[in-house]
Amino acid sequence: MARSVVGKAPRRTQEQRSTEMRARLLDATIECLVEYGYAGTTTPRVAERAGVTRGAQVHHFGSKTDLVVAAISHLAQRRTEAAMRELGRLRVGDDPIGTTLDAVWDLHQGPLFIAAMELWVAGRTDPVLAAEAEKVEPFVNNAVLMAVSQLVPDEMRRKEVRDFAYTAMDTLRGILVSNFVSPDPDRAHRRWRRASAQLRLAAQAALPGLGIAERS
């Protein structure tokens, strides 16, 4: 009687294993940035979090700078993907400004934004990190702005809405940075709602006829 043969999964190539190892190390770096901050993110901690040996970590990233520079690009990719997923669920309605403000808040919650903030602050005194962040950050912002612009059927108004979204992001980031000093999520949200009311007034003046609904 012929025996049935159970097919085995194809063996991963060396390139696949290397790619997976790098991804584990970069994800672990992001987690360490959130938990320990930039100063507390060390290569031994990253290796431990990733579940790999120090030798394996050094093989892929010879120094903390090499690791963090690569993590900046990895984080930007993850933030872009998250933004596209979130904004892909939005639909055109009678209040594109309100929808934009809600989306901007949602996109700046969670560990990915915290990790990004750690790297931005570290880049203030580290030109290598600053240069890498400057290179990749526009891709994240453009993903958000392109998606937000789709909420406005009138193509002639899309640039104005993108400018508005930039202003909203700048405002919210200032609120969230100050909240790191004395963390209070509820207070941060209250400050954002207050800022949103002012942003809506500005939008009503700058974008007449866009169908901006009032909110209580």
Side-chain angles (χ1 to χ4, degrees):
M1 179 182 296
R3 291 181 299 176
S4 61
V5 178
V6 178
K8 294 183 178 180
R11 294 183 60 183
R12 293 175 301 164
T13 66
Q14 179 60 39
E15 182 178 1
Q16 288 173 326
R17 289 194 296 271
S18 178
T19 299
E20 291 171 5
M21 177 70 74
R22 286 176 61 90
R24 284 170 60 187
L25 286 165
L26 296 176
D27 285 338
T29 301
I30 293 171
E31 293 172 9
C32 286
L33 286 167
V34 173
E35 185 170 350
Y36 303 111
Y38 176 74
T41 296
T42 63
T43 50
R45 272 180 169 164
V46 170
E48 181 180 6
R49 179 65 63 94
V52 306
T53 66
R54 284 279 288 122
Q57 175 259 303
V58 172
H59 173 73
H60 289 280
F61 303 102
S63 67
K64 176 179 175 177
T65 297
D66 293 338
L67 183 61
V68 174
V69 165
I72 290 173
S73 294
H74 185 68
L75 177 60
Q77 180 178 349
R78 288 186 57 183
R79 289 170 59 215
T80 299
E81 292 169 351
M84 297 307 294
R85 285 195 303 271
E86 179 67 26
L87 293 167
R89 291 193 284 267
L90 301 181
R91 296 292 180 266
V92 175
D94 62 355
D95 186 16
I97 295 300
T99 301
T100 297
L101 292 170
D102 290 343
V104 167
W105 169 265
D106 291 338
L107 289 171
H108 286 76
Q109 306 306 302
L112 295 183
F113 176 70
I114 294 174
M117 287 301 305
E118 286 289 333
L119 293 170
W120 294 348
V121 172
R124 186 185 73 82
T125 55
D126 189 322
V128 175
L129 299 186
E132 187 65 22
E134 183 180 21
K135 183 168 60 178
V136 302
E137 196 61 27
F139 291 101
V140 183
N141 289 337
N142 285 340
V144 175
L145 298 173
M146 287 179 62
V148 165
S149 70
Q150 301 308 306
L151 298 173
V152 183
D154 183 355
E155 293 186 10
M156 299 298 292
R157 311 303 299 274
R158 287 180 178 175
K159 182 183 184 303
E160 296 170 290
V161 173
R162 288 196 297 269
D163 291 343
F164 174 80
Y166 250 127
T167 301
M169 287 194 292
D170 290 342
T171 302
L172 178 55
R173 289 170 181 179
I175 291 172
L176 295 177
V177 168
S178 64
N179 193 60
F180 289 157
V181 177
S182 179
D184 185 338
D186 291 336
R187 180 181 59 198
H189 202 187
R190 287 195 303 271
R191 292 180 66 189
W192 172 241
R193 289 199 300 268
R194 183 180 64 198
S196 292
Q198 297 299 314
L199 288 166
R200 292 179 67 82
L201 290 175
Q204 288 168 351
L207 301 167
L210 195 60
I212 303 171
E214 295 286 349
R215 283 191 176 184
S216 58

